[in-house]
Amino acid sequence: MSDIALPTVAWKILSVADWKLLVAEGRYEGSPVDLSDGYIHLSAADQLEATASKHYAGQSDLMLVEVDLNAIADDVVWEPSRGGALFPHIYGVMPLSATRNPRPLSVTADGQMILSND
């Protein structure tokens, strides 16, 4: 794996309520699934659509947030998941300072992502 250049940016899909909590507290400890698994799930660019379709289909009260992995490099581990693909996981909290470009997101019932510019 050392010969592979891993992305320096990943994405997190959050509920609007979790995004507001992150902004208010300056940190995010994770969703119930994240807390249960022991790390915060993120997706690389090429994984985002499948993640949205699999875990968020039919939901509209969401935010898509870009995460600067360099800002939290000591807490990020790339681990195999779906089909052996490496996914970025945060072992720790996600600070607000590591997030950029939050955008409202809806995912249709058939899994299509709809981003808003609001």
Side-chain angles (χ1 to χ4, degrees), residues 46-65:
D46 62 340
Q47 301 163 336
L48 188 55
E49 286 186 44
T51 296
S53 179
K54 181 175 181 172
H55 299 288
Y56 298 95
Q59 297 183 42
S60 60
D61 200 22
L62 302 170
M63 295 293 290
L64 178 63
V65 181

Side-chain angles (χ1 to χ4, degrees), residues 13-36:
I13 299 173
L14 301 159
S15 68
V16 168
D18 279 355
W19 171 247
K20 289 179 180 178
L21 186 65
L22 169 57
V23 170
E25 296 186 358
R27 56 188 271 143
Y28 181 66
E29 295 186 11
S31 68
V33 169
D34 296 329
L35 294 170
S36 174

Side-chain angles (χ1 to χ4, degrees), residues 91-114:
Y91 283 87
V93 300
M94 183 173 71
L96 179 62
S97 61
T99 67
R100 303 184 292 227
N101 304 321
R103 295 178 62 192
L105 170 69
S106 296
V107 182
T108 63
D110 63 355
Q112 297 295 318
M113 293 175 45
I114 301 171

